[in-house]
Amino acid sequence: MAQPSSFLLLPLFLFLFLFLQSCPLSTSALPSLAKGTSLSVENPDDVLVSPSRAYSAGFFPVGDNAYGFAIWFSDPPCSGAACTPVWMANREVPVNGRRSTFSLLDSGNLVLTDAGDTGRNVWSSGTSFHSAAELRLNDTGNLVLTNGSRGVLWQSFESPTDTLLPQQPLTRNTFLISARSKYNYSTGFYKLYFDNDNVLRLLFDDPSFSGVYWPFPWLLSSQFGRFLYNSSRIAVLDPLGFFQSSDNCSFYTSDYGVSAMQRRMTLDFDGNLRVYSREPGSTVWKVTWEAISGVPCFIHGVCGNNSLCSYDPAKERRCSCVPGYVRKIPGDWSAGCVPDFTFSDGCVTDEIKFVKLLYVDFYGYDYNPIANTTLEKCQQTCMNQCNCRGFLYRYSTSKPGTFDCFPKIELLNGHNLPSSIGEFFIKVPKNKTFTVDQLVKRTQYSCPPTPEVKVVDMTYSKKGKNGVLNFMLWFACVVGGIEIVVVFLVWFFLIRNQQDVTSAHQSYLLAATGFNRFTYDELKKATRNFSKEIGRGAGGIVYKALLPDDRVAAVKVLSNATTGEADFLAEVSTIGRVNHMNLIEMWGYCAEGKHRLLVYEFMEHGSLAQNLSSPELHWKRRFDIAVGTAKGLAYLHEECLEWVLHCDVKPQNILLDSDYQPKVADFGLSKLMDRGKVTSSDFSRIRGTRGYMAPEWVSNLSITSKVDVYSYGIVMLEVATGISPMTSVHSLESRGDAKQIQLVPWARNKVNELGRTGSRLEEMVDPALKGDYDRKKMEVLIEVALWCVEENKDARPTMSQVVEMLLRHENDG
Ligand SMILES: *[C@@H]1O[C@H](CO)[C@@H](O)[C@H](O)[C@H]1NC(C)=O
Ligand SMILES: *[C@@H]1O[C@H](CO)[C@@H](O)[C@H](O)[C@H]1NC(C)=O
Ligand SMILES: *[C@@H]1O[C@H](CO)[C@@H](O)[C@H](O)[C@H]1NC(C)=O
Ligand SMILES: *[C@@H]1O[C@H](CO)[C@@H](O)[C@H](O)[C@H]1NC(C)=O
Ligand SMILES: *[C@@H]1O[C@H](CO)[C@@H](O)[C@H](O)[C@H]1NC(C)=O
Ligand SMILES: *[C@@H]1O[C@H](CO)[C@@H](O)[C@H](O)[C@H]1NC(C)=O
Ligand SMILES: *[C@@H]1O[C@H](CO)[C@@H](O)[C@H](O)[C@H]1NC(C)=O
Ligand SMILES: *[C@@H]1O[C@H](CO)[C@@H](O)[C@H](O)[C@H]1NC(C)=O
């Protein structure tokens, strides 16, 4: 009789056992660790929790049978990716998964013992206070050794790893050091600390070289807005998301004020300092602030020795070896690359040649730079210098008309930088040959309409003329296509797999959601036969439309549909791939016969031009528009490797959404150009609007991103003063300056008259603001705008510098 019932009970016991094992209620987590007791790695219940249960401390898996003693957020329960350690005792030396213990000894010392093979102590707090009574986890995430009442003998907040929690002070004695990689918690190469001059800095520190990269080393302290003379050296993030440091570095996170958030400031393994927040229970951390945005290649050491960093939004940050060099350790870019050749001594003339790389620069390690020299002399200098590895030869920014030479003894901090104006030459053996691919292609992956597409356009126009040729072309295309697919697959599986899985996922999503090809009839219907015109520009007329899926859209009908279909598709696909909150989003296009239409998101409040005189455009909105527009343009310039110049920045092309946040429109319509070769003659007929055009357009200078910077400066002068460059004389008359003067010289004069007192600022500022503006920010905006409209394009800042300067004062007021 007993047999069947025990047979039935067995599964029940099993279930109960499993249930109790997995049910969180069963874990009898401990409130404190008393003197003479230990936590064991083998008992999952041996976890200290804070009184509010917000934080837990205990053994944390860091690998196969490898554990760290760590602190983490309790909610959601720690498993896999949801688990984020915020402190770890033994990040270097994980302990064995059996018999390892964490104990508070009678002597008052906290020790972590790896009982696996050796029984050694891998970590200890180094305390020996007989008064020590217990270890508790505070509600702030601080693990505190106390004497039983208020006396603190040791605390984890004083020895942070890579993370600072809210209310945890960073002081003169503490610093953050990044982890080695995403899944390796041991100490990496990046450090956040107070430098000897009391300034909070980020440093790349590798055994072989080091360098500060934040604040940007080429800026003076007055330019990056830090204060050198406060020796307090303390920085704290508050629970609401406001960070303040004694050197006057301060910021609000983007979700500032939301209190029930888990927050942490982490120096990530990639060298960027970020603040993350997460709703308790969620597994997703959101970045709410980062130290370096938009120019991730400026973080030093990203790619190690002899390699180049490049960035594009679709592929993120990537490294590649300098031609002639190979990776030192596959899978670890920070180890850099090593030459796959040897010189007998590096300066035997008939062993050496120089190979030219475009759009490349290496930061630092200049050896005896020479001003006003020739390419031959520069090359000779590097040739004679045995340890010279290459040199940068470039147009001098200080003495126009001359060239400077920068021989390099190390190829460090290299990046692809399309805005770099020089040519870089590397020293290689004479008998070494390179494919065009090695030398040229690397400068072209970006967001271009690719030259290949142009080739297709030619075959398109010759269609049907020659059957044999056609067949051969088709054959070549098919074979080429298969090759591309195979190469892509190999690349994808060999290389891509080692990289961030999430970014692959994002690219996949982008490709999958894509954007639509509409038929002409669909758009005709959506615009009710092109009945509601909402804008008109050089490119064509814009109509309001209601798409079949109920989205409200703006449809632009291009008036001069002369571009071939392939060209058009190439340009459209470029624009379609650009994705930024301050750039107008393109949803689709139509290319049918002669018709060329573009479908954009619809912007509620129309253009900046329509709003400039509206009382809705109060000061805060104007400043937000300045910052947002700059961010959008910076994204086009830097992140897309500068292939997308706007070339027609003006108030009509800055659109405002329902919150009056700006989005730049009409970009990417300019033709792709071969940088450097393009002069204004190829361009002036299609781009630019009088009043906003940079002087390069009329002189015969090359067109670079600085034309957009100039136009941006004019627009910002208009935003600040309310004076349009088109009607400036008229508007100036009304302000008592009846002379025939132009906006820029007028503004410059006013600013010079301002002196230090700033008494005449009121005369410049748009009367429509009725005096209601932030004086300091207004000064900054005008200063930045005037810098942008420098006659000499090299004297103008880049758009990301503009963003930096504006944001530096963002939180001051
Ligand atoms: C522990 O947390 C409380 C607030 O939760 C705080 O007042 C106290 O200073 C903290 N103690 C330590 C040593 O961090
Ligand atoms: C603990 O330390 C505090 C501060 O140092 C002291 O005031 C207190 O008397 C100590 N308590 C015990 C039980 O030793
Ligand atoms: C983490 O990186 C360090 C330094 O390169 C290495 O010694 C260690 O073995 C790595 N640990 C793991 C678990 O990969
Ligand atoms: C960089 O690589 C070169 C060899 O190409 C080597 O001589 C040099 O020491 C390396 N420098 C650093 C900082 O690793
Ligand atoms: C730093 O900030 C304090 C308080 O906000 C201010 O009084 C001081 O002038 C600032 N110092 C500098 C150099 O900006
Ligand atoms: C120095 O920093 C501390 C902490 O942020 C602050 O309280 C103090 O006012 C600062 N002193 C000066 C001179 O800015
Ligand atoms: C550059 O060098 C040349 C020849 O040495 C000299 O004639 C010229 O004046 C120099 N230019 C400048 C700007 O120093
Ligand atoms: C180039 O020359 C070096 C010696 O000068 C020799 O060792 C090497 O094999 C040569 N490489 C090629 C590709 O010819």
Side-chain angles (χ1 to χ4, degrees):
M1 288 289 277
Q3 291 289 49
S5 65
S6 69
F7 192 72
L8 281 172
L9 279 177
L10 186 65
L12 183 64
F13 279 131
L14 243 171
F15 169 77
L16 275 176
F17 175 75
L18 287 175
F19 176 76
L20 289 174
Q21 279 277 309
S22 62
C23 177
L25 290 175
S26 73
T27 55
S28 53
L30 311 164
S32 71
L33 185 67
K35 189 143 83 170
T37 58
S38 316
L39 302 176
S40 161
V41 69
E42 286 169 87
N43 184 357
D45 291 352
D46 277 3
V47 173
L48 292 175
V49 293
S50 65
S52 71
R53 307 189 72 92
Y55 293 92
S56 306
F59 285 95
F60 178 95
V62 296
D64 265 357
N65 194 39
Y67 289 80
F69 188 82
I71 299 172
W72 62 87
F73 290 97
S74 313
D75 189 19
C78 183
S79 76
C83 214
T84 314
V86 295
W87 178 80
M88 200 179 287
N90 58 322
R91 51 199 306 214
E92 307 309 327
V93 207
V95 294
N96 199 292
R98 301 200 59 141
R99 307 213 318 275
S100 297
T101 55
F102 184 83
S103 327
L104 174 54
L105 303 182
D106 285 331
S107 67
N109 202 2
L110 281 170
V111 294
L112 178 60
T113 312
D114 180 11
D117 307 323
T118 54
R120 70 208 153 102
N121 291 348
V122 300
W123 177 87
S124 90
S125 62
T127 46
S128 64
F129 297 100
H130 288 285
S131 57
E134 59 174 18
L135 183 70
R136 279 185 179 274
L137 186 57
N138 205 340
D139 271 339
T140 51
N142 192 3
L143 193 62
V144 192
L145 180 63
T146 64
N147 65 358
S149 49
R150 299 239 139 211
V152 174
L153 305 171
W154 174 90
Q155 50 185 323
S156 63
F157 269 16
E158 282 177 359
S159 58
T161 50
D162 63 351
T163 297
L164 210 58
L165 290 172
Q167 297 173 53
Q168 175 177 9
L170 189 76
T171 64
R172 64 175 59 240
N173 301 318
T174 57
F175 44 82
L176 302 185
I177 295 191
S178 65
R180 184 66 208 246
S181 69
K182 199 165 196 167
Y183 303 107
N184 184 339
Y185 299 101
S186 69
T187 53
F189 303 119
Y190 297 99
K191 183 173 177 180
L192 174 75
Y193 68 111
F194 278 103
D195 208 343
N196 292 337
D197 58 2
N198 306 311
V199 167
L200 197 58
R201 295 184 191 279
L202 287 172
L203 169 81
F204 173 74
D205 191 11
D206 165 86
S208 49
F209 79 106
S210 66
V212 167
Y213 58 93
W214 180 82
F216 292 144
W218 54 88
L219 296 177
L220 301 172
S221 69
S222 60
Q223 286 177 299
F224 58 73
R226 299 295 185 85
F227 182 62
L228 298 176
Y229 307 108
N230 187 340
S231 52
S232 305
R233 295 197 200 166
I234 184 161
V236 189
L237 177 69
D238 79 12
L240 295 179
F242 174 61
F243 178 87
Q244 189 165 30
S245 159
S246 51
D247 68 355
N248 270 14
C249 168
S250 67
F251 61 81
Y252 293 85
T253 58
S254 59
D255 65 345
Y256 174 74
V258 187
S259 60
M261 283 281 179
Q262 296 175 351
R263 294 181 198 277
R264 63 190 169 96
M265 178 181 226
T266 301
L267 179 53
D268 284 320
F269 69 92
D270 64 3
N272 211 345
L273 180 66
R274 300 188 177 88
V275 178
Y276 292 88
S277 49
R278 171 170 92 169
E279 278 176 45
S282 161
T283 56
V284 184
W285 287 101
K286 281 196 204 124
V287 176
T288 53
W289 177 83
E290 59 184 352
I292 296 184
S293 59
V295 282
C297 285
F298 284 1
I299 296 173
H300 283 182
V302 173
C303 300
N305 200 353
N306 306 315
S307 58
L308 289 167
C309 173
S310 54
Y311 182 77
D312 100 51
K315 304 191 195 81
E316 313 225 309
R317 199 163 63 165
R318 304 203 330 184
C319 301
S320 56
C321 288
V322 170
Y325 290 70
V326 292
R327 291 178 74 163
K328 191 167 175 188
I329 303 174
D332 182 4
W333 273 113
S334 60
C337 306
V338 288
D340 68 350
F341 55 81
T342 47
F343 290 127
S344 43
D345 65 358
C347 37
V348 176
T349 312
D350 24 304
E351 253 186 19
I352 296 171
K353 71 173 175 187
F354 289 92
V355 171
K356 180 162 86 175
L357 306 174
L358 287 174
Y359 317 125
V360 159
D361 198 5
F362 295 86
Y363 182 79
Y365 301 92
D366 297 337
Y367 188 82
N368 287 342
I370 313 165
N372 187 14
T373 188
T374 63
L375 182 57
E376 290 67 38
K377 280 198 192 129
C378 189
Q379 184 161 323
Q380 198 59 45
T381 308
C382 186
M383 180 83 88
N384 297 341
Q385 179 101 40
C386 299
N387 64 353
C388 176
R389 316 276 309 289
F391 61 89
L392 178 72
Y393 181 70
R394 72 154 203 228
Y395 188 72
S396 168
T397 45
S398 52
K399 286 190 201 146
T402 68
F403 286 84
D404 297 339
C405 169
F406 302 89
K408 303 270 177 184
I409 52 171
E410 293 275 14
L411 304 180
L412 283 165
N413 307 318
H415 50 237
N416 268 113
L417 191 71
S419 58
S420 81
I421 48 179
E423 293 175 336
F424 201 92
F425 292 82
I426 51 163
K427 195 188 249 183
V428 291
K430 196 159 234 164
N431 63 1
K432 193 149 188 73
T433 53
F434 296 100
T435 62
V436 173
D437 191 48
Q438 281 172 303
L439 298 179
V440 180
K441 263 244 174 93
R442 70 184 64 257
T443 66
Q444 290 184 346
Y445 54 73
S446 55
C447 40
T450 55
E452 287 88 307
V453 179
K454 295 232 151 91
V455 176
V456 176
D457 188 37
M458 274 157 56
T459 63
Y460 173 81
S461 56
K462 285 176 191 158
K463 183 169 73 176
K465 286 212 173 127
N466 184 327
V468 176
L469 183 66
N470 248 357
F471 171 75
M472 284 171 68
L473 277 173
W474 271 107
F475 184 74
C477 284
V478 169
V479 171
I482 291 172
E483 239 171 295
I484 287 169
V485 168
V486 168
V487 166
F488 176 79
L489 286 178
V490 167
W491 169 78
F492 191 86
F493 284 111
L494 286 187
I495 296 165
R496 199 58 195 178
N497 274 358
Q498 298 165 5
Q499 295 183 355
D500 199 352
V501 178
T502 53
S503 87
H505 184 64
Q506 277 167 2
S507 335
Y508 167 76
L509 275 184
L510 259 182
T513 50
F515 64 147
N516 285 325
R517 181 178 188 131
F518 293 92
T519 65
Y520 187 72
D521 282 343
E522 272 172 334
L523 293 183
K524 193 169 171 183
K525 208 168 141 204
T527 55
R528 298 223 206 124
N529 201 13
F530 304 104
S531 55
K532 182 137 198 259
E533 182 179 323
I534 52 176
R536 192 180 275 262
I541 302 173
V542 186
Y543 301 92
K544 188 170 176 178
L546 185 66
L547 297 182
D549 58 6
D550 285 340
R551 287 184 296 178
V552 182
V555 171
K556 178 165 197 165
V557 183
L558 298 181
S559 48
N560 260 334
T562 49
T563 35
E565 184 162 340
D567 260 348
F568 178 77
L569 289 185
E571 293 192 12
V572 159
S573 75
T574 309
I575 307 167
R577 275 166 53 192
V578 172
N579 185 347
H580 186 275
M581 62 178 289
N582 295 116
L583 296 174
I584 198 92
E585 195 180 327
M586 186 188 274
W587 287 342
Y589 65 93
C590 161
E592 229 176 75
K594 273 190 181 166
H595 302 298
R596 300 283 182 272
L597 293 85
L598 301 173
V599 181
Y600 293 102
E601 63 180 314
F602 177 75
M603 299 290 281
E604 204 122 328
H605 282 114
S607 73
L608 175 61
Q610 291 160 350
N611 283 274
L612 260 173
S613 48
S614 145
E616 289 300 314
L617 215 63
H618 52 70
W619 168 245
K620 183 168 182 316
R621 286 184 175 154
R622 289 191 193 210
F623 196 76
D624 284 351
I625 288 168
V627 173
T629 307
K631 282 185 178 168
L633 290 173
Y635 183 89
L636 284 183
H637 291 174
E638 324 273 319
E639 308 214 8
C640 298
L641 289 172
E642 238 189 64
W643 294 106
V644 184
L645 303 187
H646 190 291
C647 300
D648 198 10
V649 177
K650 56 180 175 181
Q652 287 77 6
N653 282 337
I654 297 169
L655 305 185
L656 304 176
D657 72 6
S658 51
D659 288 333
Y660 286 91
Q661 288 300 316
K663 291 191 187 220
V664 178
D666 237 12
F667 55 88
L669 295 183
S670 54
K671 274 240 175 319
L672 171 73
M673 46 192 147
D674 190 0
R675 300 169 47 79
K677 279 189 203 149
V678 175
T679 56
S680 55
S681 54
D682 308 356
F683 254 87
S684 44
R685 87 201 121 83
I686 33 172
R687 305 302 294 178
T689 300
R690 213 178 60 85
Y692 298 92
M693 275 162 74
E696 293 95 285
W697 291 110
V698 279
S699 58
N700 211 26
L701 294 170
S702 66
I703 298 304
T704 66
S705 61
K706 296 296 177 67
V707 301
D708 290 348
V709 176
Y710 184 93
S711 308
Y712 172 84
I714 298 282
V715 175
M716 287 310 123
L717 281 181
E718 187 169 352
V719 165
T721 64
I723 298 169
S724 157
M726 325 277 282
T727 60
S728 53
V729 176
H730 173 70
S731 347
L732 288 171
E733 264 166 359
S734 65
R735 286 193 208 176
D737 286 298
K739 278 174 280 166
Q740 278 271 333
I741 38 176
Q742 297 286 308
L743 177 58
V744 174
W746 174 81
R748 248 188 239 295
N749 269 341
K750 282 279 176 224
V751 166
N752 290 341
E753 287 170 23
L754 287 181
R756 293 277 151 251
T757 62
S759 59
R760 305 195 68 177
L761 189 69
E762 291 72 25
E763 293 174 18
M764 296 188 71
V765 172
D766 190 351
L769 286 172
K770 301 198 170 69
D772 190 7
Y773 56 91
D774 178 318
R775 181 170 194 99
K776 193 163 163 200
K777 285 187 186 175
M778 178 64 86
E779 280 173 14
V780 170
L781 182 62
I782 292 177
E783 182 193 342
V784 168
L786 285 178
W787 190 9
C788 291
V789 297
E790 286 283 347
E791 285 287 303
N792 176 356
K793 69 180 162 64
D794 296 326
R796 295 172 210 151
T798 64
M799 285 316 302
S800 47
Q801 283 172 312
V802 169
V803 175
E804 268 261 304
M805 288 184 288
L806 293 177
L807 285 185
R808 197 188 304 144
H809 298 274
E810 172 85 302
N811 302 317
D812 287 1

PDB file of all heavy atoms in Angstrom, residues 65-76:
ATOM      1  N   ASN A  65      33.236  28.488 -12.950  1.00  0.00           N
ATOM      2  CA  ASN A  65      33.777  28.150 -11.638  1.00  0.00           C
ATOM      3  C   ASN A  65      34.680  29.250 -11.081  1.00  0.00           C
ATOM      4  O   ASN A  65      35.620  28.993 -10.358  1.00  0.00           O
ATOM      5  CB  ASN A  65      34.570  26.826 -11.731  1.00  0.00           C
ATOM      6  CG  ASN A  65      34.843  26.264 -10.351  1.00  0.00           C
ATOM      7  OD1 ASN A  65      33.980  26.333  -9.471  1.00  0.00           O
ATOM      8  ND2 ASN A  65      36.045  25.754 -10.141  1.00  0.00           N
ATOM      9  N   ALA A  66      34.378  30.502 -11.449  1.00  0.00           N
ATOM     10  CA  ALA A  66      35.194  31.622 -10.968  1.00  0.00           C
ATOM     11  C   ALA A  66      34.258  32.669 -10.374  1.00  0.00           C
ATOM     12  O   ALA A  66      33.243  33.019 -10.987  1.00  0.00           O
ATOM     13  CB  ALA A  66      35.994  32.229 -12.119  1.00  0.00           C
ATOM     14  N   TYR A  67      34.586  33.152  -9.186  1.00  0.00           N
ATOM     15  CA  TYR A  67      33.708  34.085  -8.498  1.00  0.00           C
ATOM     16  C   TYR A  67      34.464  35.305  -8.011  1.00  0.00           C
ATOM     17  O   TYR A  67      35.645  35.240  -7.684  1.00  0.00           O
ATOM     18  CB  TYR A  67      33.039  33.400  -7.295  1.00  0.00           C
ATOM     19  CG  TYR A  67      32.012  32.382  -7.720  1.00  0.00           C
ATOM     20  CD1 TYR A  67      32.393  31.113  -8.129  1.00  0.00           C
ATOM     21  CD2 TYR A  67      30.659  32.725  -7.749  1.00  0.00           C
ATOM     22  CE1 TYR A  67      31.451  30.194  -8.548  1.00  0.00           C
ATOM     23  CE2 TYR A  67      29.705  31.808  -8.155  1.00  0.00           C
ATOM     24  CZ  TYR A  67      30.110  30.543  -8.572  1.00  0.00           C
ATOM     25  OH  TYR A  67      29.178  29.640  -8.995  1.00  0.00           O
ATOM     26  N   GLY A  68      33.716  36.426  -7.964  1.00  0.00           N
ATOM     27  CA  GLY A  68      34.235  37.620  -7.327  1.00  0.00           C
ATOM     28  C   GLY A  68      33.349  37.905  -6.130  1.00  0.00           C
ATOM     29  O   GLY A  68      32.185  37.488  -6.105  1.00  0.00           O
ATOM     30  N   PHE A  69      33.873  38.635  -5.158  1.00  0.00           N
ATOM     31  CA  PHE A  69      32.993  39.068  -4.084  1.00  0.00           C
ATOM     32  C   PHE A  69      32.543  40.473  -4.449  1.00  0.00           C
ATOM     33  O   PHE A  69      33.352  41.405  -4.554  1.00  0.00           O
ATOM     34  CB  PHE A  69      33.689  39.049  -2.721  1.00  0.00           C
ATOM     35  CG  PHE A  69      32.713  39.305  -1.611  1.00  0.00           C
ATOM     36  CD1 PHE A  69      31.928  38.261  -1.123  1.00  0.00           C
ATOM     37  CD2 PHE A  69      32.538  40.564  -1.095  1.00  0.00           C
ATOM     38  CE1 PHE A  69      30.978  38.493  -0.130  1.00  0.00           C
ATOM     39  CE2 PHE A  69      31.580  40.794  -0.113  1.00  0.00           C
ATOM     40  CZ  PHE A  69      30.810  39.768   0.374  1.00  0.00           C
ATOM     41  N   ALA A  70      31.216  40.648  -4.663  1.00  0.00           N
ATOM     42  CA  ALA A  70      30.747  41.871  -5.309  1.00  0.00           C
ATOM     43  C   ALA A  70      29.497  42.430  -4.648  1.00  0.00           C
ATOM     44  O   ALA A  70      28.859  41.771  -3.825  1.00  0.00           O
ATOM     45  CB  ALA A  70      30.471  41.590  -6.784  1.00  0.00           C
ATOM     46  N   ILE A  71      29.181  43.662  -5.048  1.00  0.00           N
ATOM     47  CA  ILE A  71      27.915  44.302  -4.665  1.00  0.00           C
ATOM     48  C   ILE A  71      27.136  44.519  -5.955  1.00  0.00           C
ATOM     49  O   ILE A  71      27.713  44.901  -6.968  1.00  0.00           O
ATOM     50  CB  ILE A  71      28.185  45.660  -3.986  1.00  0.00           C
ATOM     51  CG1 ILE A  71      29.010  45.454  -2.719  1.00  0.00           C
ATOM     52  CG2 ILE A  71      26.883  46.378  -3.656  1.00  0.00           C
ATOM     53  CD1 ILE A  71      29.495  46.764  -2.097  1.00  0.00           C
ATOM     54  N   TRP A  72      25.825  44.271  -5.914  1.00  0.00           N
ATOM     55  CA  TRP A  72      25.010  44.502  -7.106  1.00  0.00           C
ATOM     56  C   TRP A  72      23.621  44.970  -6.707  1.00  0.00           C
ATOM     57  O   TRP A  72      23.256  44.918  -5.532  1.00  0.00           O
ATOM     58  CB  TRP A  72      24.955  43.235  -7.973  1.00  0.00           C
ATOM     59  CG  TRP A  72      24.330  42.044  -7.316  1.00  0.00           C
ATOM     60  CD1 TRP A  72      23.009  41.712  -7.289  1.00  0.00           C
ATOM     61  CD2 TRP A  72      25.006  40.996  -6.586  1.00  0.00           C
ATOM     62  NE1 TRP A  72      22.810  40.547  -6.604  1.00  0.00           N
ATOM     63  CE2 TRP A  72      24.014  40.079  -6.147  1.00  0.00           C
ATOM     64  CE3 TRP A  72      26.342  40.749  -6.260  1.00  0.00           C
ATOM     65  CZ2 TRP A  72      24.323  38.930  -5.411  1.00  0.00           C
ATOM     66  CZ3 TRP A  72      26.641  39.611  -5.519  1.00  0.00           C
ATOM     67  CH2 TRP A  72      25.642  38.715  -5.106  1.00  0.00           C
ATOM     68  N   PHE A  73      22.864  45.454  -7.701  1.00  0.00           N
ATOM     69  CA  PHE A  73      21.470  45.861  -7.456  1.00  0.00           C
ATOM     70  C   PHE A  73      20.622  44.604  -7.299  1.00  0.00           C
ATOM     71  O   PHE A  73      20.703  43.696  -8.124  1.00  0.00           O
ATOM     72  CB  PHE A  73      20.933  46.678  -8.634  1.00  0.00           C
ATOM     73  CG  PHE A  73      21.530  48.042  -8.762  1.00  0.00           C
ATOM     74  CD1 PHE A  73      22.584  48.280  -9.623  1.00  0.00           C
ATOM     75  CD2 PHE A  73      21.038  49.103  -8.013  1.00  0.00           C
ATOM     76  CE1 PHE A  73      23.137  49.548  -9.748  1.00  0.00           C
ATOM     77  CE2 PHE A  73      21.585  50.372  -8.130  1.00  0.00           C
ATOM     78  CZ  PHE A  73      22.633  50.604  -8.995  1.00  0.00           C
ATOM     79  N   SER A  74      19.766  44.562  -6.257  1.00  0.00           N
ATOM     80  CA  SER A  74      19.003  43.335  -6.005  1.00  0.00           C
ATOM     81  C   SER A  74      17.862  43.117  -6.988  1.00  0.00           C
ATOM     82  O   SER A  74      17.413  42.001  -7.178  1.00  0.00           O
ATOM     83  CB  SER A  74      18.386  43.380  -4.608  1.00  0.00           C
ATOM     84  OG  SER A  74      19.322  43.772  -3.660  1.00  0.00           O
ATOM     85  N   ASP A  75      17.369  44.205  -7.569  1.00  0.00           N
ATOM     86  CA  ASP A  75      16.157  44.077  -8.373  1.00  0.00           C
ATOM     87  C   ASP A  75      16.472  44.492  -9.798  1.00  0.00           C
ATOM     88  O   ASP A  75      16.920  45.629 -10.008  1.00  0.00           O
ATOM     89  CB  ASP A  75      15.090  45.003  -7.773  1.00  0.00           C
ATOM     90  CG  ASP A  75      13.730  44.779  -8.391  1.00  0.00           C
ATOM     91  OD1 ASP A  75      13.534  43.709  -8.988  1.00  0.00           O
ATOM     92  OD2 ASP A  75      12.875  45.667  -8.286  1.00  0.00           O
ATOM     93  N   PRO A  76      16.313  43.686 -10.823  1.00  0.00           N
ATOM     94  CA  PRO A  76      15.807  42.315 -10.806  1.00  0.00           C
ATOM     95  C   PRO A  76      16.857  41.353 -10.246  1.00  0.00           C
ATOM     96  O   PRO A  76      18.049  41.687 -10.233  1.00  0.00           O
ATOM     97  CB  PRO A  76      15.565  42.031 -12.290  1.00  0.00           C
ATOM     98  CG  PRO A  76      16.549  42.887 -12.999  1.00  0.00           C
ATOM     99  CD  PRO A  76      16.667  44.125 -12.167  1.00  0.00           C
TER     100      PRO A  76
END
